[in-house]
Amino acid sequence: MSIRTARQDATVGLHGPVTPAGRALLDRLGGHLPRIRSTAAKNDRDGVFPVETFDALRADGLMGATVPAELGGLGVDRLYDVATALLAVAHADASTALALHMQFSRGITLSYEWRHGGPQARALAERLLRQMAAGEAAVCSGIKDHHTAVTTLSSDGTGGWLLSGRKTLVSMGPIATHFVINAQTDVAGEPPRLVSPVVSRDNPGLTVLDNWDGLGMRASGTVDIVFDRCRIPAEDVLIRDLVGARNDAVLAGQTVSSVAMLGIYVGVAQAARDTTIAALTRRGAAPPAASRTLVAEIDSRLYGLRATVGAALTTADAVGADLGGDPDERGRRMMRAFQCAKLAVNQTAPAIVNDCLTLVGGASYTAAHPLARLYRDVRAGGFMQPYTYVDGVDFLSAQALDIERDNNYMSTWAARSQKTGNAKGVPQSTEMSR
């Protein structure tokens, strides 16, 4: 199906996939949704990652959904379709959707490396993608440094590398077999560079902590990972830009990696709306005028939210497929659409859930009520890069007012650590990253 057709189909507002591969993914996921929904409340209450659910997804080939068909996957390559699938899963359980997003996202980004990267990147990407398609690899990213350390890559003296540091807020951690890490080099006499080492779970220097006790997304397995001089072969490290380099082309990859996540929060808002409508219907008599006004406003805002996110995803798919022209402007166009939609999601989705609590009343103000979980889960979106609220406002306003800034949040984090001495343990701020 052409990009033009996908653009026209965006008017459905994430009500359905736009490609046959996307429809196949959604159909296959449908068989798993009853289980995901039935275990969501208990997993949330206990803070337990749904290992059995992911075992079932793996057995059904869904952990390779975004792996190219040539490498054995389902071949889903549209962000629009990925977001539609995540919305359906989030309607049942946002924690499961957030963890699954990690796998889907890595499939999309590794597929780009396989198609367009250099020889080393292509070889590394193909190895991981084939393992994902076979159900042998669960691959997630570690972006945000823990406040106690900066994750660095130093030479081991033999052509390889040593990785040390700690990452926080890594979802799907309990079952991950590989971690794609954001780090910076620490080599004497050389300026620091951003690097992406791939670390296997069986690396002797890697420890996955069991330390997640979040307000929301409690069953997402969002944990910390510690690296103690992990030996990384040179062929498992992707070298990026110098720290502090201004390169807006990277915004395209950051958009592709994260924009489909917006479907999760649309799914949470939709689940809150549907839960509320069911509760009002069970009461029998027509609700009072004030309640009916809120119902109409919720549906109107949800319609607008779906349309906004659908438009951003369609833009990301269309612009991302066009590799001609200025790569910096390509990155900025994709990120602008993403951030406009993300700002709308972070403001509107929590407001919808809040109004749903108002309509249901005091019964929803208990930990066991479905709306309580949705209320906590929907707040996670505002903490996730790129960007959190402050950085998103800075980016969008700078774009409008032509203010020069470094838009690569990973580069600015690394540059900040160089200036403030965070490599020696100076605390940093904490945000969720995907």
Side-chain angles (χ1 to χ4, degrees):
M1 185 172 289
S2 69
I3 291 293
R4 178 179 177 83
T5 303
R7 185 180 299 115
Q8 293 169 340
D9 285 350
T11 56
V12 302
L14 297 181
H15 287 291
V18 295
T19 69
R23 287 191 288 275
L25 169 59
L26 193 59
D27 288 346
R28 197 175 297 188
L29 275 172
H32 298 269
L33 296 181
R35 176 195 180 94
I36 293 172
R37 183 172 288 107
S38 67
T39 58
K42 186 178 187 303
N43 290 337
D44 174 79
R45 183 175 62 252
D46 298 340
V48 173
F49 185 82
V51 175
E52 295 82 2
T53 292
F54 279 81
D55 286 343
L57 295 174
R58 181 184 295 109
D60 206 9
L62 290 168
M63 296 295 275
T66 55
V67 174
E70 304 96 304
L71 301 181
L74 295 185
V76 179
D77 59 2
R78 294 291 177 81
L79 295 165
Y80 192 100
D81 289 350
V82 174
T84 301
L86 291 174
L87 189 158
V89 177
H91 191 278
D93 178 35
S95 285
T96 300
L98 182 61
L100 190 58
H101 160 70
M102 298 295 278
Q103 182 82 347
F104 286 175
S105 173
R106 296 288 68 76
I108 292 283
T109 55
L110 286 169
S111 294
Y112 183 88
E113 296 284 3
W114 177 63
R115 289 192 170 94
H116 305 291
Q120 178 189 339
R122 289 200 301 271
L124 176 58
E126 180 170 342
R127 171 159 51 91
L128 290 173
L129 288 166
R130 287 190 181 278
Q131 292 177 20
M132 292 169 71
E136 299 168 355
V139 186
C140 60
S141 59
I143 303 297
K144 182 65 181 175
D145 279 335
H146 190 266
H147 68 272
T148 60
V150 169
T151 305
T152 58
L153 204 64
S154 59
S155 173
D156 69 356
T158 66
W161 298 93
L162 296 173
L163 180 68
S164 295
R166 178 171 174 172
K167 291 296 180 182
T168 191
L169 300 169
V170 180
S171 297
M172 202 179 70
I175 64 164
T177 60
H178 298 79
F179 301 89
V180 181
I181 301 302
N182 175 59
Q184 56 182 294
T185 56
D186 183 13
V187 179
E190 296 183 9
R193 302 190 71 98
L194 296 174
V195 285
S196 298
V198 177
V199 192
S200 63
R201 193 185 188 95
D202 59 4
N203 192 304
L206 183 147
T207 302
V208 179
L209 302 181
D210 181 14
N211 66 331
W212 178 239
D213 188 19
L215 174 67
M217 299 294 188
R218 288 181 50 77
S220 62
T222 303
V223 299
D224 285 9
I225 305 169
V226 179
F227 312 100
D228 182 11
R229 295 175 63 81
C230 293
R231 290 191 173 276
I232 313 293
E235 60 267 25
D236 287 356
V237 177
L238 300 178
I239 307 296
R240 309 298 190 185
D241 293 324
L242 289 170
V243 170
R246 301 291 179 89
N247 178 13
D248 282 355
V250 302
L251 301 181
Q254 291 173 3
T255 298
V256 167
S257 179
S258 300
V259 67
M261 180 175 57
L262 297 181
I264 297 173
Y265 301 100
V266 177
V268 172
Q270 183 70 56
R273 180 267 182 200
D274 293 346
T275 298
T276 300
I277 294 301
L280 294 177
T281 301
R282 285 194 298 269
R283 293 175 183 175
S291 296
R292 292 166 66 182
T293 299
L294 273 184
V295 168
E297 290 177 349
I298 286 170
D299 273 4
S300 176
R301 282 178 290 170
L302 190 54
Y303 180 90
L305 196 59
R306 281 179 172 270
T308 299
V309 173
L313 289 160
T314 301
T315 297
D317 278 329
V319 178
D322 182 5
L323 300 181
D326 181 358
D328 286 338
E329 180 55 26
R330 173 174 174 263
R332 288 189 291 267
R333 285 184 63 193
M334 293 173 70
M335 186 60 79
R336 279 195 298 268
F338 177 17
Q339 291 308 306
C340 284
K342 187 173 189 294
L343 193 60
V345 167
N346 291 343
Q347 292 173 339
T348 306
I352 289 173
V353 180
N354 183 69
D355 282 349
C356 288
L357 267 74
T358 299
L359 284 166
V360 172
S364 64
Y365 199 66
T366 60
H369 197 280
L371 286 178
R373 171 165 51 89
L374 297 170
Y375 188 69
R376 290 182 281 105
D377 287 347
V378 79
R379 288 293 291 116
F383 299 106
M384 293 183 178
Q385 293 277 6
Y387 301 108
T388 57
Y389 177 77
V390 172
D391 289 340
V393 167
D394 282 351
F395 172 78
L396 288 174
S397 61
Q399 291 292 294
L401 300 170
D402 198 24
I403 299 171
E404 186 176 352
R405 69 187 297 272
D406 187 350
N407 295 314
N408 183 354
Y409 69 101
M410 289 185 282
S411 178
T412 57
W413 282 351
R416 190 180 306 128
S417 73
Q418 296 295 318
K419 292 178 181 178
T420 61
N422 274 331
K424 296 181 176 61
V426 176
Q428 300 175 342
S429 62
T430 57
E431 298 103 353
M432 295 184 77
S433 308
R434 296 288 175 266

